[in-house]
Structures are given as C-alpha cells and as structure tokens.
Amino acid sequence: EDKVVQSPLSLVVHEGDTVTLNCSYEVTNFRSLLWYKQEKKAPTFLFMLTSSGIEKKSGRLSSILDKKELSSILNITATQTGDSAIYLCAVGKGNKLVFGAGTILRVKS
Amino acid sequence: EPEVTQTPSHQVTQMGQEVILRCVPISNHLYFYWYRQILGQKVEFLVSFYNNEISEKSEIFDDQFSVERPDGSNFTLKIRSTKLEDSAMYFCASSPQGPRGEKLFFGSGTQLSVL
C-alpha cells in the first residue's frame, strides 16, 4: 500500500523562526513529489520536485527531494503569521496524487 | 489569475438522496479530477477524467459515483444515493498537462453533509 508520511503533525513557532517540514514516502511508480499549502479550503501549489538533490526556491520557501532516502523537506525561513496553514505533501503516481496527512503550522506573532 | 470554481460551497442532504456537485475547471485545462477530504483525514483521490472518459478511479469511486462533462465548461460529480460516510469536503481540480505536468489547480471545495 502506498504511504506518504509527514512530520511533525503540528508545529507552533514564533515569527522569524525557521521551520523544516518533512515528508517520506513509499509509493510504487513514483513520478514526482509536490508540496501544497492549505489555508481554509483549497490547497494551493507550492513546488513540484522530480529530481533528487535540486533545490527549488520561492521567496522564503525552499524544498528538496532525496530519492535515495525517499523523502523531501520543505523549509520556511523568517516565518510570518501568514505562513500559518496546513502544508500537504503529495506524490504523483499514475493519474493521481497520493497525499500525506499534512503538517499544521501555526506562527505566533 | 484563472481559478477552478465549485458550486455549491455547502450542500446538506438526506441519506439516500442524489447530489450533484458542480465544477468549472480552468478553461484551457484538459485533465479533471475529484478529490475528497473527510474531516480530520487525508485528501483522497476519487477519479481523474480526460478526453471525455475516466482515466483512473479509486476504490472509493464505486457505482454510486459518476462524473460527467456535459458541456465545454462544466465537470460534475454525482452521488446517486448518499450515505452518512459520504460527508466530506469535495475538491475539484484541473490541470493543463495531466500526469506529466502534475500541477493541479484546486477549487475551494463543496462541503457535503449527509444527515
């Protein structure tokens, strides 16, 4: 059975802190790994990773995939209250995405 | 920025009733999906749709479920006889490139409550 496991389940930090969110997977026919941010309702796309060791960056967010370790991390530097959300990791397989349970991040001012 | 729109945002129905959830994908997208999220649980894949046919479906997507693209803009999910366990947030998503492109654009969801 395919598994996508995220850790920690939840995290509370103060503004300005740096956080690292983890995602590990056991998915047959892995194609890609994606990170989404879910605030209120619709998940919004952050990154898609297909190649190991290549960091993707967008502002204060960055992510990297390690295919050998079957894992990925999402880093957020200089966190802001607007970063408070659920961060979802998903693995692309066939015609679908297999999601993890998410990490709930709360950034306190 | 173009977005996926879903209607209604909330739907309350009695067990055994039929519901139709509606979605308008982004106009130049070709691949369409339904996912659902039961409260407190993971987002789960239901079905993918391309070229007017189902390309993949999950075990959840049984005979009670069907999808349709009745015209050039709408994409619907029908649940024929709702059960209590169908209560969930249902997300529609679309993609311009399908599996190779991966980047799915999600709608804001329809919260379905079955009483």
Side-chain angles (χ1 to χ4, degrees):
Chain A
E1 186 186 337
D2 295 326
K3 284 185 197 173
V4 178
V5 179
Q6 293 186 245
S7 64
L9 290 179
S10 66
L11 193 54
V12 180
V13 301
H14 288 94
E15 269 192 316
D17 288 350
T18 293
V19 297
T20 298
L21 309 183
N22 301 285
C23 177
S24 63
Y25 60 91
E26 290 177 31
V27 176
T28 55
N29 300 314
F30 170 93
R31 192 174 53 245
S32 58
L33 188 142
L34 295 91
W35 286 95
Y36 281 84
K37 180 181 181 182
Q38 188 176 23
E39 297 171 276
K40 296 178 185 176
K41 290 184 180 178
T44 53
F45 174 83
L46 294 175
F47 298 110
M48 183 174 86
L49 305 156
T50 55
S51 300
S52 208
I54 299 174
E55 186 182 50
K56 292 216 171 176
K57 290 195 78 167
S58 177
R60 296 177 294 102
L61 278 67
S62 63
S63 183
I64 196 162
L65 174 66
D66 185 338
K67 283 185 172 179
K68 192 174 172 187
E69 295 296 324
L70 305 182
S71 66
S72 174
I73 59 171
L74 174 69
N75 281 318
I76 309 174
T77 59
T79 51
Q80 301 170 358
T81 54
D83 295 326
S84 296
I86 300 172
Y87 289 84
L88 300 173
C89 172
V91 171
K93 167 185 174 147
N95 292 297
K96 66 185 180 188
L97 298 179
V98 180
F99 280 87
T103 292
I104 302 170
L105 174 64
R106 183 176 159 216
V107 182
K108 294 166 78 170
S109 57
Chain B
E1 188 176 331
E3 57 181 32
V4 176
T5 56
Q6 289 187 242
T7 55
S9 56
H10 292 86
Q11 173 93 47
V12 180
T13 190
Q14 297 290 325
M15 195 168 54
Q17 295 296 305
E18 175 183 287
V19 294
I20 298 176
L21 309 183
R22 292 185 164 78
C23 170
V24 179
I26 295 172
S27 63
N28 61 343
H29 287 190
L30 300 176
Y31 298 83
F32 314 115
Y33 309 84
W34 285 100
Y35 285 79
R36 79 173 185 189
Q37 188 174 30
I38 295 171
L39 187 63
Q41 297 187 24
K42 297 180 183 184
V43 176
E44 301 173 290
F45 169 76
L46 292 178
V47 66
S48 60
F49 191 87
Y50 169 68
N51 201 25
N52 281 320
E53 60 182 29
I54 291 172
S55 44
E56 187 169 347
K57 60 183 181 179
S58 71
E59 292 174 355
I60 303 166
F61 195 88
D62 62 20
D63 292 343
Q64 295 299 315
F65 291 87
S66 62
V67 289
E68 199 175 42
R69 188 154 161 82
D71 53 42
S73 59
N74 291 286
F75 180 51
T76 61
L77 174 69
K78 182 194 287 187
I79 309 175
R80 285 191 188 80
S81 178
T82 49
K83 304 176 198 146
L84 295 175
E85 55 264 36
D86 294 328
S87 296
M89 177 72 85
Y90 287 80
F91 292 109
C92 174
S94 69
S95 167
Q97 295 172 293
R100 294 296 157 200
E102 255 9 331
K103 181 178 175 180
L104 268 60
F105 293 78
F106 284 86
S108 295
T110 293
Q111 181 65 57
L112 176 65
S113 298
V114 182
L115 306 179

